């Protein structure tokens, strides 16, 4: 029995050794996936620059409270269309009403004092003519009359101010427009200067773009400026602004120059992102290096995953993912302009999706 078991173990071990020696020689090598490549070449022309911009209303106002009090009514919400003079909100007016009543009482008191001083002044004039009072007494009566006259003017001014403050308890629209957002809720405490809502006029709109200060001079030579806006069908249309204004100074923190591009009649909304193109730039020797460094590749060669924009570069006979920066929007179906991350002479995958698969092998460009 022991001899048979030992013989069985020896046969099993020999079979395992035979299979282990045979397996590497006959294992199937995984198939490679050839992926076409292209070699990057610098372009000597760079007659266009593009940056992201944002839509904003030419006429926009933040309506703020001008008196202290709780908000008793908020009569509009974001998206509502309003007319000039329409009531937007109401603030508790009890304090302003009491102030108006107090100022009216001050006016009545000042007028009574004025009437008394006037009568005293008239009596003093009569007594002085009869020689019963001195010049000093007459001067004192005249001064009291003039002071009472000034008191009446001050009291009436206070009454006007109190009436104006009571009017501030009713917040109205300064112009025809649409409510962009509200910044307060009913019951909140309003204070002078605290925003209540933001109002804008739907027409006209403008695109605002921040241009790097280092390229501001070259951008000023653009012969054509266009703004890309989406159409209802999902396509993109390029519009020329009706007026272009570049602010004279640069932002000290971001080192950018703000350009404001007034748009023709459009359905764009404030806060919407757009693409601004400065085309047909004049050649500038100072920008020759940056111009030559721009590379254009097919859209299929660029991989976009969330915030990542990259291409597959050939390194050591295989693909390596390399992050890049582009000047073309992600939704553009046309060629993509690479600004940084690669350089002329690099070889990249023509199809980034195929290059990311297992066993992807680059071919010669």
């Amino acid at each position: 029995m022991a001899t048979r078991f030992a013989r069985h173990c020896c046969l099993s071990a020999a079979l395992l050794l035979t299979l282990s020696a045979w397996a590497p020689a006959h294992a199937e090598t995984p198939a490679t996936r050839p992926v076409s490549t292209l070699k990057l070449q610098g372009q000597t022309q760079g007659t266009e620059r593009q940056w992201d911009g944002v839509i904003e209303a030419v006429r926009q106002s933040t309506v703020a409270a001008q008196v202290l009090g709780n908000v008793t009514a908020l009569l509009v919400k974001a998206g509502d269309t309003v007319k000039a003079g329409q009531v937007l909100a109401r603030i508790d007016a009890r304090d302003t009403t009491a102030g108006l009543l107090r100022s009216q009482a001050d006016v009545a008191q000042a007028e009574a004092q004025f009437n008394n001083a006037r009568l005293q002044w008239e009596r003093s004039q009569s007594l002085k003519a009869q020689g019963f009072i001195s010049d000093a007494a007459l001067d004192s009566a005249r001064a009291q009359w003039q002071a009472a006259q000034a008191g009446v003017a001050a009291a009436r001014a206070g009454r006007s101010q109190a009436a104006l403050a009571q009017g501030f308890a009713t917040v109205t629209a300064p112009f025809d427009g649409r409510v962009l957002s509200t910044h307060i809720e009913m019951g909140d405490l309003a204070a002078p200067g605290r925003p209540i809502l933001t109002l804008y006029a739907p027409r006209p709109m403008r695109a605002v773009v921040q241009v790097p200060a280092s390229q501001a001079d070259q951008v000023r030579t653009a012969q054509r400026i266009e703004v890309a806006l989406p159409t209802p069908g999902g396509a993109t249309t390029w519009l020329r602004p009706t007026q272009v204004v570049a602010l004279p100074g640069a932002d000290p923190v971001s080192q950018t120059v703000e350009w404001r591009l007034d748009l023709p009649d459009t359905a764009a909304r404030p806060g919407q992102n757009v693409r601004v193109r400065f085309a047909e730039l004049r050649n500038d020797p100072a920008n020759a290096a940056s111009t030559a460094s721009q590379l254009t590749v097919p859209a299929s060669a660029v991989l976009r995953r969330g915030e990542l924009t990259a291409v597959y570069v050939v390194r050591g006979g295989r693909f390596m993912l390399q992050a890049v920066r582009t000047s073309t929007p992600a939704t553009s179906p046309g060629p993509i302009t690479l600004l940084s991350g690669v350089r002329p002479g690099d070889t990249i995958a023509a199809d980034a999706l195929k290059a990311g698969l297992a066993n992807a092998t680059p071919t010669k460009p």
Side-chain angles (χ1 to χ4, degrees):
M1 184 68 178
T3 303
R4 180 181 297 177
F5 177 75
R7 185 182 302 170
H8 179 72
C9 290
C10 291
L11 289 175
S12 300
L15 180 59
L16 290 174
L17 290 174
T18 303
L19 290 175
S20 62
W22 176 83
H26 293 80
E28 293 184 359
T29 303
T32 59
R33 296 184 175 89
V35 179
S36 59
T37 59
L38 54 90
K39 192 171 184 179
L40 301 179
Q41 297 181 355
Q43 299 182 359
T44 57
Q45 59 194 23
T47 61
E48 181 178 303
R49 294 288 187 275
Q50 293 188 15
W51 287 279
D52 289 325
V54 65
I55 295 293
E56 68 177 29
V58 174
R59 190 178 187 185
Q60 179 171 310
S61 174
T62 299
V63 181
Q66 294 180 275
V67 292
L68 181 67
N70 293 97
V71 177
T72 59
L74 185 61
L75 306 177
V76 294
K77 61 182 182 302
D80 287 352
T81 301
V82 298
K83 297 291 185 180
Q86 178 178 336
V87 178
L88 305 176
R90 288 192 175 90
I91 300 174
D92 189 356
R94 288 177 295 179
D95 184 62
T96 56
T97 300
L100 179 59
L101 294 175
R102 183 169 56 250
S103 64
Q104 290 174 344
D106 292 340
V107 170
Q109 181 180 7
E111 289 177 346
Q113 292 176 349
F114 170 76
N115 291 331
N116 182 51
R118 180 175 55 82
L119 293 174
Q120 183 65 28
W121 162 244
E122 292 175 352
R123 284 194 295 267
S124 297
Q125 285 180 313
S126 176
L127 292 174
K128 179 66 174 74
Q130 298 176 20
F132 292 113
I133 62 174
S134 63
D135 292 339
L138 180 64
D139 292 339
S140 176
R142 181 173 56 234
Q144 291 177 1
W145 171 65
Q146 292 175 344
Q149 191 175 21
V152 170
R156 289 175 178 174
R159 182 179 61 185
S160 298
Q161 184 177 12
L164 184 64
Q166 187 183 37
F168 289 154
T170 301
V171 182
T172 59
F175 53 83
D176 294 349
R178 183 174 295 170
V179 179
L180 180 63
S181 60
T182 57
H183 311 293
I184 204 168
E185 298 294 336
M186 188 173 65
D188 289 348
L189 179 64
R194 181 177 180 180
I196 295 178
L197 54 85
T198 299
L199 188 70
Y200 73 95
R203 302 289 187 278
M205 291 289 174
R206 67 185 173 199
V208 177
V209 60
Q210 305 295 333
V211 176
S214 59
Q215 302 187 39
D217 291 338
Q218 187 186 22
V219 166
R220 293 180 189 274
T221 66
Q223 303 300 304
R224 189 177 76 254
I225 302 177
E226 296 174 322
V227 180
L229 290 173
T231 61
T236 299
T237 181
W238 291 89
L239 299 178
R240 290 197 178 189
T242 58
Q243 183 179 4
V244 177
V245 176
L247 299 188
D251 186 275
V253 177
S254 62
Q255 288 299 299
T256 56
V257 177
E258 182 175 308
W259 284 63
R260 298 176 178 177
L261 315 174
D262 291 355
L263 301 176
D265 192 16
T266 176
R269 297 179 179 273
Q272 181 177 343
N273 290 328
V274 294
R275 196 70 177 175
V276 180
R277 176 168 64 190
F278 297 84
E280 299 180 14
L281 302 175
R282 295 177 184 173
N283 293 330
D284 186 353
N287 294 280
S290 62
T291 296
S293 65
Q294 290 189 352
L295 307 168
T296 302
V297 298
S300 61
V302 179
L303 179 68
R304 299 184 188 271
R305 290 291 183 270
E307 299 296 328
L308 174 67
T309 302
V311 297
Y312 280 97
V313 182
V314 178
R315 296 279 190 269
R318 63 177 187 171
F319 290 117
M320 302 290 292
L321 191 64
Q322 175 66 44
V324 295
R325 186 167 64 92
T326 70
S327 67
T328 311
T331 57
S332 175
I336 305 296
T337 300
L338 305 181
L339 298 180
S340 63
V342 291
R343 54 186 176 180
D346 286 346
T347 301
I348 67 171
D351 191 326
L353 294 178
K354 292 182 179 179
L357 299 176
N359 304 320
T361 303
T363 62
K364 291 185 178 181

